[in-house]
Amino acid sequence: MYVILTLLAALFAMGTCVYHRVRLVVGAAVTVLVTLVVGLLAHTIMLTIVLLLIELLVVVPLMTPGFRRRQISGPLLKAYAKVTPTLSETEQTALDAGTVGFEGELFSGKPDWNQLLRQPRPALSSEEQAFMDGPVEELCAMVDDWQICHELADLPPEVWEFAKKNKFFGMIIPKQYGGLQFSALAHSAVLQKLASVSSTLSTTVAVPNSLGPAELLMHYGTAEQKDHYLPRLAVGEEIPCFALTGTYAGSDATSIPDYGIVCKQAHDAVETLGVKLSFEKRYITLAPIATVVGLAFRMYDPEHLLGDKEDLGITLALLPRSTPGLQIGRRHFPLNVPFQNGPVHGKGVFAPLSSLIGGPQMAGHGWRMLVECLSVGRAISLPSSAVGAMRASTIASGIYARMRKQFGLAIARFEGVEETLARIGGITYASMALSRATAAAVDRGEKPAVSSAISKYHTTEWARTVAGGTMDIHGGKAVQLGPKNYVGNGWCSIPIAITVEGANIMTRCLMIFGQGAIRCHPYVLKEMQALSIGDYGTRLREFDKALFGHIGFACSNVLRSLVMGLSGGRLGAAAGDASVRPYYRKLNRYSAALALCADVFMGVLGGKLKFKEKLSARLGDVLSYLYIASAMLKYYEDSQCPKADRPLLAWGFHECIWQIQNALRGAIGNFPLRPVAWLLRLFVFPLGCLEAPPSDRLGHRVAALLTEPNEARERLAEWVYLTPSPHNTIGRMNALFPEVVAAEPLERKFLKALKTGRFKSHEYEEQLAEAQASGVLDQTEHDLLKQVHTNVFEFISVDDFDSSELCAVVTRADKRA
């Protein structure tokens, strides 16, 4: 018994030190001391001596740098160099371009939640809030989305003019150049409110403030370029577009076939050094009306007019619309959502070197310029537009489900509808938090490459889910297009966001984990960087330091994953109050599981993991849902932990944990080396897969929040245009909503009396009159029911047309003229 006790004490001491990631020297001292004390107390002297000798034989060589490097790290360095794939210049540029935020903590297996909670609470400035309350409200009131999509196929001229005058296209441009210089949060808030009324409008405003000429000029432009273009861009005097995607290069932007040959040619009657460009671009937003075109191309210098290098690489230039040979103006028609989008072509188009963004010295640096700016733009534009549409859909669905009656009940009372309401409510809450988190990261000065990919992918995918749920709840109302249909245009726009700025399939399979594993892992990038060091001694020293840090990290995650798996994530200190502390502990558990699986997958598969896209995608899902759950907790804390929001937080959190479990189970279940998979399953799921999706009871509570006035619903409706106006159906519905709720008990009383057969009339208003005459309703109740019935009829009605009204858009526009 005493022998077993001594062994267990030694193992426990060592395991505790590894679990808590104690330094090797401290851990060794603690293990030796515990072994000695317990051995003496248990009178197991010989066993104690043996254990101490074993411990010293293991620890002393590891603590001797020279021996460790010669006998362990040196041979491993050679083996590592053989199996580690060499990063291409493109991949290295992408890795160098971004920064790591809290997602790095989630990859650590031991997140520091205080780091997350110490981040400042994002908030709009008084100037930004005034813009939201003033120009943004005014612009939303001007919009008739039916007119935009089905009559004009464009924004009305007065909307264009108002947007330019009020600098909607200059939100990111500094004030010194006449722009608004808004925060990323304000940029996001504006796009969300615009997207709640028209995806065409939000897209039109998003593009000049996202990846494009303004962003690129601000970071890389010459002083002359900034002084010339930025003031014009800020007030809409210049309309920009950026031409990257081509016929043969979409998501694989680095393989663009468009090229420019350095040459001399007469330009404005003066022989000028420049590039002769040939390009074929498509899907370029704002191109049909753009006055200045940003162009990405590969630059060649066969005559060596600029130096010894012939292939200079991807380069960016600005071409005025008036450039001879530039073919621009034709339009694509993306799914009946008529934001300006079209092709840009050119053959033998000459541009002087002064047109290169940043001047001739930036030739060949275009890919770096793009990826450095892309993460910032991708973190704001598409996620914000998706979240704005989701918020509007969620609010509208809750109201409609309360207005629409079937079988004598509001359809919100049916469990099938309730389940859908819960799903769109929980997803919208999670998306709000995710979008806010990425905007806040940009405002803190980060370049969130990984988290922006997470935000773009999940908000646009979830927008598809919310749009589908909204269609289900509205039924035939959502199918019949017309001015009364506030759902159909949004449904049409959903696939567009999924395909742009990195198609979602590629983003999930290649980017989130592919970049996250290297960027966020505390040691992998350091090990890879060590390989590139020229001096062998320095290379070995840096590799040794990273290697043994990695070994300790991996051992800790094995123990942490197993222990927290056995305890169900209930052990250890955690942040937050009693209501959310279990959530932080769950995330601790799955953070350790992700770190363990990532190490095993990368260690066993090596460079082959790059081509195992389904495995990479599942691990990316784990990282994504950890980040989303963290964002929800931060949003909840920033909102002062409102009790009313707890059902929304709980639904979103349990959905994330359920998806994490499924992703880990899928990744382990499909790992090609089965013995390794069996061991992983033991450490990650020692008691099996016990997580469950959000319960029906929780879903009922979420649905209830959407179908009655309350503070949680008001927070969901933040940054949604709800001012009642002629073209804002959702705003008018929302204004009627309290009366609809107040009328429900009166309707039940009226229907109960109606079932007795005491009313002779078959017309609703006459039946109401009979109910009042018989004392079932008083005058106030009669008036309320009549008013609600009349107003609700407008919102549940659909449009119909004469056949002649359904002719082509061009014909109708001609008739209007």
Side-chain angles (χ1 to χ4, degrees):
M1 176 63 75
Y2 290 129
V3 171
I4 294 174
L5 179 63
T6 304
L7 284 170
L8 289 176
L11 290 172
F12 180 80
M14 181 174 62
T16 300
C17 292
V18 171
Y19 181 94
H20 290 288
R21 301 180 181 174
V22 175
R23 289 179 58 203
L24 178 60
V25 63
V26 176
V30 169
T31 303
V32 168
L33 182 61
V34 169
T35 303
L36 183 61
V37 170
V38 174
L40 292 175
L41 291 175
H43 304 291
T44 54
I45 305 301
M46 290 304 298
L47 176 63
T48 301
I49 293 173
V50 171
L51 288 175
L52 290 175
L53 287 174
I54 293 173
E55 290 166 7
L56 291 173
L57 284 173
V58 172
V59 170
V60 171
L62 294 180
M63 294 176 60
T64 307
F67 177 85
R68 188 177 73 190
R69 291 169 189 162
R70 286 194 307 272
Q71 302 301 319
I72 303 174
S73 300
L76 288 177
L77 174 60
K78 293 178 182 178
Y80 184 77
K82 292 179 181 178
V83 300
T84 302
T86 303
L87 289 177
S88 68
E89 183 179 350
T90 298
E91 291 172 320
Q92 188 63 56
T93 299
L95 285 173
D96 293 340
T99 58
V100 177
F102 190 74
E103 63 272 20
E105 287 293 314
L106 297 172
F107 225 102
S108 73
K110 189 181 178 183
D112 180 1
W113 297 110
N114 289 325
Q115 178 184 324
L116 175 70
L117 299 178
R118 281 196 303 266
Q119 292 172 358
R121 176 182 178 272
L124 300 179
S125 69
S126 56
E127 179 187 5
E128 292 165 345
Q129 187 61 58
F131 189 79
M132 290 288 292
D133 297 337
V136 178
E137 281 277 316
E138 291 181 56
L139 183 57
C140 288
M142 298 170 68
V143 170
D144 176 357
D145 204 38
W146 172 258
Q147 179 194 47
I148 291 169
C149 292
H150 301 282
E151 295 181 4
L152 301 179
D154 192 8
L155 298 175
E158 61 271 19
V159 170
W160 278 107
E161 187 58 34
F162 185 90
K164 293 175 181 179
K165 179 181 177 181
N166 288 275
K167 302 183 180 181
F168 277 84
F169 301 145
M171 287 191 288
I172 65 170
I173 295 176
K175 291 183 178 180
Q176 70 183 94
Y177 297 107
L180 295 175
Q181 198 174 340
F182 278 174
S183 66
L185 182 68
H187 180 185
S188 176
V190 171
L191 292 181
Q192 287 188 41
K193 183 165 276 194
L194 299 182
S196 72
V197 295
S198 171
S199 61
T200 301
L201 176 62
S202 64
T203 301
T204 301
V205 172
V207 168
N209 292 288
S210 183
L211 176 64
E215 179 85 10
L216 292 164
L217 285 168
M218 285 160 50
H219 288 87
Y220 311 106
T222 64
E224 183 181 0
Q225 288 172 339
K226 292 177 182 179
D227 290 340
H228 176 78
Y229 281 112
L230 290 179
R232 291 170 169 80
L233 291 169
V235 297
E237 184 179 336
E238 297 273 12
I239 299 295
C241 73
F242 189 80
L244 176 62
T245 302
T247 305
Y248 297 102
S251 297
D252 182 16
T254 57
S255 64
I256 54 176
D258 312 291
Y259 63 91
I261 304 296
V262 178
C263 63
K264 293 182 178 180
Q265 183 172 311
H267 179 72
D268 293 336
V270 177
E271 186 178 58
T272 304
L273 188 61
V275 285
K276 186 169 287 188
L277 300 160
S278 294
F279 50 90
E280 184 177 316
K281 305 290 189 179
R282 63 180 181 179
Y283 310 152
I284 311 305
T285 299
L286 296 186
I289 59 165
T291 61
V292 58
V293 178
L295 182 72
F297 62 95
R298 184 169 288 277
M299 188 169 172
Y300 297 94
D301 184 15
E303 298 180 21
H304 302 289
L305 298 175
L306 298 178
D308 296 333
K309 194 173 181 181
E310 182 171 332
D311 182 355
L312 298 176
I314 293 176
T315 304
L316 310 181
L318 290 177
L319 304 179
R321 188 184 184 95
S322 59
T323 301
L326 179 63
Q327 300 173 42
I328 189 172
R330 292 187 63 81
R331 294 181 64 175
H332 299 310
F333 196 29
L335 289 176
N336 209 46
V337 182
F339 59 90
Q340 295 285 338
N341 184 274
V344 180
H345 304 290
K347 187 74 174 177
V349 176
F350 181 80
L353 289 185
S354 60
S355 67
L356 302 185
I357 297 178
Q361 65 269 24
M362 294 304 291
H365 294 282
W367 178 241
R368 175 175 65 84
M369 295 159 69
L370 288 173
V371 294
E372 286 180 349
C373 292
L374 180 61
S375 62
V376 176
R378 186 166 52 200
I380 306 300
S381 55
L382 290 170
S384 301
S385 296
V387 171
M390 278 190 271
R391 286 178 131 163
S393 294
T394 300
I395 296 302
S397 295
I399 299 171
Y400 187 82
R402 198 69 183 264
M403 286 183 172
R404 180 65 168 159
K405 304 294 195 298
Q406 292 288 281
F407 306 103
L409 291 173
I411 62 172
R413 305 301 181 194
F414 294 92
E415 289 195 351
V417 173
E418 181 181 272
E419 182 180 35
T420 304
L421 283 170
R423 183 164 55 251
I424 67 177
I427 285 175
T428 298
Y429 183 86
S431 299
M432 287 163 43
L434 176 57
S435 175
R436 186 180 289 255
T438 48
V442 173
D443 281 332
R444 291 194 300 272
E446 297 178 21
K447 294 180 179 178
V450 176
S451 60
S452 68
I454 292 172
S455 187
K456 187 271 175 180
Y457 173 79
H458 285 279
T459 54
T460 55
E461 286 292 335
W462 274 343
R464 173 156 52 182
T465 301
V466 170
T470 302
M471 295 288 288
D472 288 345
I473 290 169
H474 284 74
K477 164 74 177 175
V479 173
Q480 304 300 332
L481 289 176
K484 294 177 182 177
N485 187 333
Y486 48 84
V487 177
N489 290 336
W491 169 260
C492 291
S493 70
I494 292 299
I496 300 170
I498 286 168
T499 63
V500 299
E501 289 196 19
N504 275 9
I505 290 177
M506 186 202 74
T507 300
R508 176 175 177 258
C509 293
L510 299 179
M511 293 180 62
I512 295 176
F513 183 78
Q515 290 193 21
I518 298 176
R519 286 180 187 273
C520 301
H521 195 288
Y523 297 105
V524 167
L525 185 58
K526 293 176 183 178
E527 290 166 342
M528 297 177 74
Q529 290 173 335
L531 295 179
S532 63
I533 298 175
D535 178 67
Y536 178 76
T538 305
R539 179 165 70 250
L540 179 59
R541 185 167 59 251
E542 291 302 314
F543 179 77
D544 172 79
K545 182 179 177 181
L547 173 65
F548 278 89
H550 195 160
I551 292 172
F553 172 80
C555 292
S556 173
N557 286 322
V558 169
L559 279 178
R560 291 179 68 82
S561 183
L562 178 62
V563 170
M564 287 190 280
L566 289 170
S567 68
R570 295 182 180 89
L571 295 179
D577 59 29
S579 67
V580 297
R581 204 168 293 132
Y583 296 169
Y584 287 103
R585 290 194 176 112
K586 283 274 189 186
L587 296 182
N588 285 338
R589 174 193 173 181
Y590 286 110
S591 172
L594 171 63
L596 171 61
C597 289
D599 271 335
V600 171
F601 279 48
M602 289 189 289
V604 174
L605 297 177
K608 294 180 181 177
L609 181 58
K610 180 190 285 189
F611 305 102
K612 298 287 187 181
E613 294 175 20
K614 287 178 280 190
L615 294 180
S616 179
R618 291 184 180 106
L619 292 179
D621 289 344
V622 178
L623 177 60
S624 294
Y625 287 112
L626 285 170
Y627 185 81
I628 294 165
S630 305
M632 283 192 289
L633 288 167
K634 179 65 166 73
Y635 175 65
Y636 175 75
E637 299 278 0
D638 284 345
S639 302
Q640 307 303 312
C641 305
K643 187 175 180 180
D645 283 11
R646 287 181 187 173
L648 291 163
L649 172 64
W651 197 101
F653 184 85
H654 288 302
E655 176 69 12
C656 286
I657 295 299
W658 167 248
Q659 295 294 346
I660 287 170
Q661 175 183 268
N662 290 344
L664 285 170
R665 183 170 58 183
I668 295 170
N670 288 280
F671 194 74
L673 295 173
R674 298 314 300 154
V676 175
W678 298 332
L679 281 173
L680 263 182
R681 186 178 180 85
L682 174 65
F683 286 112
V684 174
F685 298 116
L687 300 179
C689 299
L690 304 179
E691 306 295 353
S695 67
D696 291 348
R697 179 179 296 181
L698 180 56
H700 172 77
R701 294 172 63 196
V702 172
L705 291 177
L706 303 187
T707 53
E708 59 188 32
N710 58 78
E711 60 173 295
R713 181 180 172 277
E714 289 177 6
R715 276 186 286 274
L716 285 174
E718 185 186 24
W719 300 342
V720 175
Y721 179 62
L722 290 176
T723 303
S725 62
H727 303 301
N728 186 21
T729 305
I730 298 176
R732 299 198 309 279
M733 289 170 63
N734 191 63
L736 182 64
F737 189 40
E739 295 179 11
V740 171
V741 174
E744 272 200 1
L746 303 180
E747 288 178 337
R748 288 194 294 269
K749 181 168 66 170
F750 169 69
L751 290 174
K752 184 177 179 181
L754 183 63
K755 289 178 181 179
T756 64
R758 58 200 292 187
F759 306 144
K760 297 179 180 180
S761 176
H762 297 289
E763 295 291 334
Y764 184 77
E765 291 191 9
E766 293 177 5
Q767 290 172 342
L768 285 181
E770 289 185 61
Q772 181 186 357
S774 62
V776 174
L777 301 173
D778 61 26
Q779 183 66 49
T780 301
E781 293 171 335
H782 168 275
D783 293 346
L784 177 59
L785 284 178
K786 182 178 179 181
Q787 177 185 341
V788 168
H789 184 268
T790 301
N791 290 336
V792 165
F793 178 78
E794 174 196 353
F795 302 124
I796 65 174
S797 297
V798 298
D799 297 281
D800 52 73
F801 303 89
D802 186 270
S803 296
S804 63
E805 297 178 90
L806 298 177
C807 56
V809 171
V810 174
T811 306
R812 289 206 307 274
D814 289 343
K815 288 182 178 179
R816 286 174 60 86

